[in-house]
Amino acid sequence: MIAIVDYGMGNVLSVRHAFEKLGETVVVTDDKATLYQADIIVLPGVGSFQAAMKEIYSRDLYDLLIDLAKTKPFLGICLGMQLLFSEGTEGEVAKGLNLIPGTVRKINTDYILPHVGWNQLKISDMHPAFKSFEQTFVYFVHTYQAETDDRYIVAKSNYGEAITAIVRSGHIFGIQFHPEKSADVGSDIIQTFLNEVKR
């Protein structure tokens, strides 16, 4: 069972549909017992880093999410990926889940922000499971991005600077773009994540 964390800031219905389309059993919940029963945790998100962390704290989910990530495959999507990192700088500096070391900061580009639309992936040679997605196009909507060590970066894109697009630290993954809005490529990327964590 896949549990999508409901903390009031996620596009949960489209994310749920993306996993159900692949034949997965999915629940959307903030119930602690249900989250502990799940095999895989998915943290979606739309909005600001600071507001999302306030919601996570207010629902008493902060320590729970960190504990779940110790043993369960964990996927952050869009803002949910950004929350995996140590801190975010949108508005006031806010502490993240610190599951992957790094800082979420504004994209440094001369292009118009937010970064909206289809953009191409460049896959790291260190992550062969995702190599088939080299130069494929996926759909982004964001103004802030994660700055982290290259060893955690599965894929980058470019928008006037290199954009962190997919990250991984063991069984913890993050996807900056919207796989649920990225047509067949997005679905295949979700399936690749599932294949990796179910091995």
Side-chain angles (χ1 to χ4, degrees):
M1 178 181 70
I2 294 173
I4 298 175
V5 182
D6 182 10
Y7 63 105
M9 295 192 64
N11 49 332
V12 293
L13 292 180
S14 56
V15 172
R16 176 177 188 157
H17 177 69
F19 281 93
E20 288 179 338
K21 194 167 71 170
L22 295 171
E24 299 294 329
T25 301
V26 183
V27 295
V28 177
T29 184
D30 65 355
D31 177 69
K32 293 183 180 182
T34 305
L35 289 168
Y36 273 115
Q37 289 169 5
D39 302 302
I40 296 171
I41 304 298
V42 177
L43 183 68
V46 175
S48 78
F49 190 106
Q50 186 182 31
M53 289 309 302
K54 283 182 178 179
E55 284 296 319
I56 285 171
Y57 279 117
S58 71
R59 295 170 187 243
D60 198 25
L61 291 171
Y62 181 79
D63 291 332
L64 172 65
L65 292 174
I66 292 171
D67 194 45
L68 290 167
K70 290 176 182 176
T71 57
K72 296 181 185 292
F74 200 109
L75 173 64
I77 297 176
C78 196
L79 176 61
M81 169 181 140
Q82 296 179 2
L83 299 178
L84 301 178
F85 289 90
S86 308
E87 64 178 14
T89 61
E90 188 173 358
E92 296 179 7
V93 174
K95 180 182 177 182
L97 296 172
N98 199 32
L99 299 175
I100 301 176
T103 298
V104 176
R105 47 104 177 143
K106 196 171 186 178
I107 298 169
N108 183 19
T109 182
D110 292 330
Y111 298 158
I112 293 170
L113 291 173
H115 171 209
V116 177
W118 296 87
N119 210 336
Q120 206 166 23
L121 295 177
K122 172 67 177 173
I123 308 297
S124 166
D125 290 335
M126 294 187 292
H127 297 277
F130 288 84
K131 202 62 181 175
S132 63
F133 301 107
E134 178 72 26
Q135 297 187 332
T136 57
F137 284 84
V138 291
Y139 191 81
F140 289 86
V141 183
H142 66 126
T143 300
Y144 288 75
Q145 74 141 331
E147 190 170 64
T148 188
D149 192 281
D150 277 348
R151 63 183 163 154
Y152 300 113
I153 298 177
V154 175
K156 296 181 180 180
S157 191
N158 192 285
Y159 192 70
E161 73 160 335
I163 299 292
T164 303
I166 304 175
V167 292
R168 178 179 188 177
S169 177
H171 59 269
I172 300 168
F173 289 72
I175 299 175
Q176 176 61 71
F177 52 90
H178 286 275
E180 77 282 5
K181 297 180 180 178
S182 298
D184 289 345
V185 170
S187 185
D188 290 345
I189 287 171
I190 292 174
Q191 185 63 64
T192 301
F193 158 72
L194 293 171
N195 293 346
E196 285 293 289
V197 300
K198 289 181 177 182
R199 289 193 304 174

